[in-house]
Amino acid sequence: MCIIFFKFDPRPVSKNAYRLILAANRDEFYHRPSKLADFWGNNNEILSGELVAHFLTTDVDSLTYLKKVSAEGHLYNGFNLIAADLSTEKGDVICYYGNRGEPEPVVLAPGTYGLSNALLETPWRKLCFGKQLFLEAVERSQALPKDVLIAQLLDVLNNEEAQLPDPAIEDQGREYVQPILNKYAAVCVRCPDYGTRTNTIILVDADGHVTFTERSMLDKDPSCWETSTHEFRLQS
């Protein structure tokens, strides 16, 4: 299970405001091999960890890409995709497609969204709880130094308070979920061999300056973490 919260405002009214604030957890078995997010591509122009390579390496726009994916969506197990075109010159567009929902992708209106192991904005209690914490941090974002905002968003992602009872989350995966329900129903999942391995924060300001912060578990040890930050400007 993973979880994502993001606020999308393509026309911020203040220079201190952000066009995009995203906070996400990647949950995975601790023993599964993985790499830290890093730059790659012909000119080291792409920053990512797990990736949707075709979209990142071509000039196709996000809606066109998701329409192509949706045509074959029925062939795959359940998945969600969020794709964005962030352009200071052309304007920002964020699109969403989940192959267990509507047959066509949608262009998202500016606003705040949450996504976990269900369709966008499915009101699981953990999602609603985490989204409220995220909103509280976002509402203070213009008044906070960037490092403080990032620290507060990391606190949101590492909240281990179980949000129970929640029949919706129990019904989705009864056999798997029941033994770990009190951990699984939190924003940050922390089980003996499975749980939150990576926190990601992405900030895009009014001028297209991007701050990408990743906090990753090391050596399969939930007490050992490494934080890295990349800063760059969006390409037009």
Side-chain angles (χ1 to χ4, degrees), residues 12-28:
V13 295
S14 167
K15 281 284 187 180
N16 296 326
Y18 293 97
R19 289 156 57 181
L20 176 67
I21 300 176
L22 181 146
N25 277 346
R26 176 192 169 206
D27 297 347
E28 183 59 270

Side-chain angles (χ1 to χ4, degrees), residues 158-194:
N158 285 281
N159 189 293
E160 298 183 29
E161 301 175 41
Q163 302 303 305
L164 295 171
D166 188 348
I169 196 172
E170 295 177 49
D171 288 344
Q172 191 188 54
R174 291 181 181 177
E175 294 181 3
Y176 174 75
V177 169
Q178 285 295 341
I180 58 170
L181 185 59
N182 64 327
K183 303 294 185 182
Y184 194 74
V187 172
C188 177
V189 178
R190 186 62 65 225
C191 300
D193 300 309
Y194 173 90

Side-chain angles (χ1 to χ4, degrees), residues 26-92:
R26 176 192 169 206
D27 297 347
E28 183 59 270
F29 288 103
Y30 300 154
H31 63 267
R32 183 172 180 177
S34 65
K35 294 182 178 180
L36 302 179
D38 203 356
F39 286 95
W40 62 278
N42 293 335
N43 299 304
N44 285 335
E45 76 279 19
I46 299 171
L47 173 64
S48 69
E50 294 186 359
L51 41 94
V52 185
H54 181 69
F55 176 59
L56 296 176
T57 55
T58 63
D59 293 329
V60 65
D61 66 86
S62 58
L63 184 59
T64 300
Y65 170 72
L66 290 186
K67 283 184 176 179
K68 182 176 180 181
V69 171
S70 68
E72 300 177 348
H74 63 284
L75 301 176
Y76 300 92
N77 292 330
F79 68 85
N80 292 293
L81 284 175
I82 297 170
D85 304 302
L86 301 181
S87 170
T88 302
E89 295 180 354
K90 299 179 181 179
D92 300 341

Side-chain angles (χ1 to χ4, degrees), residues 170-232:
E170 295 177 49
D171 288 344
Q172 191 188 54
R174 291 181 181 177
E175 294 181 3
Y176 174 75
V177 169
Q178 285 295 341
I180 58 170
L181 185 59
N182 64 327
K183 303 294 185 182
Y184 194 74
V187 172
C188 177
V189 178
R190 186 62 65 225
C191 300
D193 300 309
Y194 173 90
T196 300
R197 289 179 52 175
T198 305
N199 312 132
T200 302
I201 306 294
I202 299 175
L203 305 176
V204 182
D205 70 13
D207 294 325
H209 184 269
V210 180
T211 302
F212 179 103
T213 300
E214 183 180 76
R215 179 176 177 268
S216 300
M217 183 189 299
L218 299 178
D219 301 324
K220 311 171 191 176
D221 182 354
S223 67
C224 186
W225 295 77
E226 177 182 51
T227 301
S228 60
T229 298
H230 301 280
E231 298 197 48
F232 53 94

